[in-house]
Amino acid sequence: MRRLLIISPHYPPTDVVDMHRVRAGSRYYAENGWSPTVLAVRPQDCGRLVDPRLSETAPNNVPVVRTAAFPERLSRPLGFSAIGFRAYAQLRAAGDRIIRETKPDLAFFSTTAFPLMALGASWKRRFGLPFVLDMQDPWHTAPPSAAPFRKRDAKARMMFAIHRRLEARAMESVGGLIAVSDRYVPALEAVYPRLTGAPRDTIPFGFEPSDFTVARRTGQPVDFGFDRTRTRLGVYAGRVGDDMTTALKALFSVLKGDDAILGGIRLGFLGTGYQLSGNPERVTPLAREFGVQEVVRERPDRVSLLDSLSTLSEADVILLLGSDDKAYQPSKLYQYLATDRPILCVAATDAPFARQIEGLNSVFLLASDRSVTEQVPALSAWIARVAGRAVEAEPARRAMAEAYSARAMAARECAVFDAALAASGVGR
């Protein structure tokens, strides 16, 4: 059994999107020949949502080593609060100790706290430890479609320069790459030619069936305050950024332009902001602009995974928004497909994930890059079928979801680990 050191600063009971690959999939690594240990930050030091219930969804066969981080209340006045900087020294020291004591065969960085990935280069140089990176988002190098959505203020430019140096250091010696979008690795190869031919795979987040079991038992659905006796409820859960404005405008244009649809559905948006609390509303102002604010309710602060799943499970329709960044891959796509809820997807016709699910009868694709007026009759008929409980998840959808289960994704992840270890020439 080969030993794997996983660096994932956020880990249950900390509830942050970037740890879900490790949380869901690492339980299956042993059956693929890898014995993992997770290196994480103490929940009280992360500055993110902490949900003790989430620990029930974490594997009990994976040891976790936790370390402290520089306090956020002290770092924020200094101009930084990101966990990748606050915990860098502590994770490096803990990783040094683990490497010396247990001699892992490979390190795997699965996080959007990108500065930590530079530790891979340090450990490769000092200990000869090969490493694999999980590109859940672009770091410094990004596909052209992501460029318009990057911040341009003075602090952002300074961090841009820091990330450029750290990314270059990591890419000089990385042994393999996993990415959620097939556009991320080619963008990196264009800047770092040595990556051409390196072990890699495009592996989206898989869904873990036991999450639904825990959510049914412990989750608390959010009440948006709508009258459910006469209308159907559509729910969106997750961040809403500027890149989703086109999709929202298409959706609200349809609601504004057709009284039948407006009278038949209500929309709830959950956890749309980026911070734990105090987030401004991001959807409501646009709904007000289109005059559909009476049928839209928004809860912008973060909500735990289990409460989110519970809310989605009680919705009549799950809402899925596309992005103007064509590399965007919804992290919960296959989790949604694994439910029996109809899905209303609002996205451009050339969005990769939209093309994948467009042919399913239980999914309606409202094309944000086409005339919404032309699509109203079909959407109105689909909403009527939803209201009559006539839209059911078909076998093809269930098969698609199963192909992207956490267990299936773990096997592909371990195949990248195998290839990276073999290419390094230091395998057992």
Side-chain angles (χ1 to χ4, degrees):
M1 186 77 70
R2 289 150 299 196
R3 290 189 283 269
L4 179 71
L5 174 59
I6 302 175
I7 297 81
S8 177
H10 301 128
Y11 195 76
T14 307
D15 191 345
V16 181
V17 172
D18 73 346
M19 60 87 188
H20 287 312
R21 186 191 297 280
V22 173
R23 178 193 63 82
S26 60
R27 75 192 70 210
Y28 302 115
Y29 285 177
E31 64 188 50
N32 292 283
W34 289 90
S35 175
T37 295
V38 175
L39 178 56
V41 174
R42 299 185 310 183
Q44 64 267 34
D45 291 339
C46 288
R48 308 299 288 271
L49 180 65
V50 175
D51 181 5
R53 299 170 300 170
L54 194 64
S55 296
E56 297 186 43
T57 71
N60 55 20
N61 63 337
V62 175
V64 182
V65 177
R66 298 189 187 270
T67 187
F70 190 75
E72 187 176 15
R73 60 182 173 79
L74 299 178
S75 68
R76 189 173 291 278
L78 300 177
F80 70 97
S81 59
I83 196 68
F85 293 112
R86 291 193 295 114
Y88 190 94
Q90 295 91 332
L91 289 170
R92 173 173 175 152
D96 286 355
R97 183 176 66 255
I98 292 171
I99 293 168
R100 291 191 179 101
E101 293 176 357
T102 69
K103 295 180 171 51
D105 298 280
L106 187 79
F108 176 45
F109 293 80
S110 186
T111 176
T112 54
F114 292 114
L116 297 174
M117 292 182 174
L119 288 173
S122 174
W123 289 336
K124 177 71 181 298
R125 183 180 67 256
R126 295 164 56 216
F127 301 107
L129 180 67
F131 64 98
V132 170
L133 301 180
D134 180 11
M135 306 307 296
Q136 300 180 21
D137 284 320
W139 187 356
H140 170 268
T141 300
S145 59
F149 307 105
R150 290 193 155 178
K151 295 181 179 179
R152 305 290 181 182
D153 56 34
K155 181 179 178 181
R157 290 195 297 271
M158 180 184 71
M159 296 306 300
F160 195 68
I162 293 173
H163 284 300
R164 180 174 62 239
R165 293 178 62 87
L166 293 177
E167 181 187 86
R169 185 185 306 172
M171 297 303 164
E172 284 174 1
S173 53
V174 66
L177 294 167
I178 290 172
V180 299
S181 169
D182 59 7
R183 302 194 182 196
Y184 291 169
V185 174
L188 288 167
E189 285 180 335
V191 178
Y192 308 104
R194 70 163 296 274
L195 296 178
T196 303
R200 88 283 302 278
D201 195 0
T202 300
I203 308 176
F205 281 16
F207 80 94
E208 172 50 39
S210 63
D211 290 350
F212 296 106
T213 303
V214 179
R216 281 192 294 269
R217 181 166 48 81
T218 69
Q220 298 294 321
V222 173
D223 183 4
F224 291 98
F226 291 123
D227 180 0
R228 298 287 300 276
T229 61
R230 296 187 177 184
T231 59
R232 304 280 75 85
L233 175 64
V235 174
Y236 175 87
R239 67 101 187 171
V240 172
D242 294 340
D243 57 310
M244 295 175 170
T245 300
T246 300
L248 283 172
K249 286 183 176 180
L251 176 63
F252 293 161
S253 294
V254 168
L255 293 180
K256 179 181 179 181
D258 191 272
D259 291 338
I261 295 177
L262 194 66
I265 194 167
R266 300 292 182 267
L267 301 178
F269 291 81
L270 192 61
T272 54
Y274 291 90
Q275 303 303 318
L276 178 59
S277 61
N279 293 287
E281 293 180 327
R282 304 183 66 88
V283 176
T284 304
L286 194 60
R288 192 175 295 118
E289 179 183 325
F290 277 80
V292 296
Q293 67 273 15
E294 295 301 319
V295 301
V296 173
R297 301 273 170 83
E298 179 180 8
R299 303 291 178 86
D301 290 343
R302 305 307 296 170
V303 176
S304 74
L305 170 70
L306 296 173
D307 292 343
S308 174
L309 287 179
S310 182
T311 305
L312 290 165
S313 295
E314 293 199 358
D316 299 292
V317 176
I318 293 176
L319 183 61
L320 192 59
L321 297 180
S323 168
D324 291 337
D325 177 3
K326 295 303 188 294
Y328 173 68
Q329 171 73 18
S331 62
K332 296 183 179 68
L333 173 62
Y334 300 105
Q335 198 170 55
Y336 293 170
L337 289 175
T339 71
D340 61 353
R341 304 290 85 185
I343 296 175
L344 172 56
C345 176
V346 189
T349 51
D350 61 348
F353 76 91
R355 290 201 305 267
Q356 185 178 9
I357 63 178
E358 182 180 9
L360 298 173
N361 292 327
S362 59
V363 177
F364 188 94
L365 174 61
L366 178 62
S368 59
D369 56 345
R370 289 171 41 201
S371 168
V372 295
T373 304
E374 297 176 357
Q375 302 173 74
V376 164
L379 177 57
S380 183
W382 188 80
I383 294 294
R385 291 176 58 221
V386 169
R389 312 294 182 186
V391 177
E392 297 181 354
E394 59 269 63
R397 169 171 160 174
R398 297 190 187 97
M400 183 183 298
E402 187 59 34
Y404 288 90
S405 68
R407 174 174 249 141
M409 297 301 93
R412 290 173 56 180
E413 290 153 18
C414 288
V416 176
F417 302 158
D418 292 340
L421 183 61
S424 72
V426 296
R428 292 181 183 277

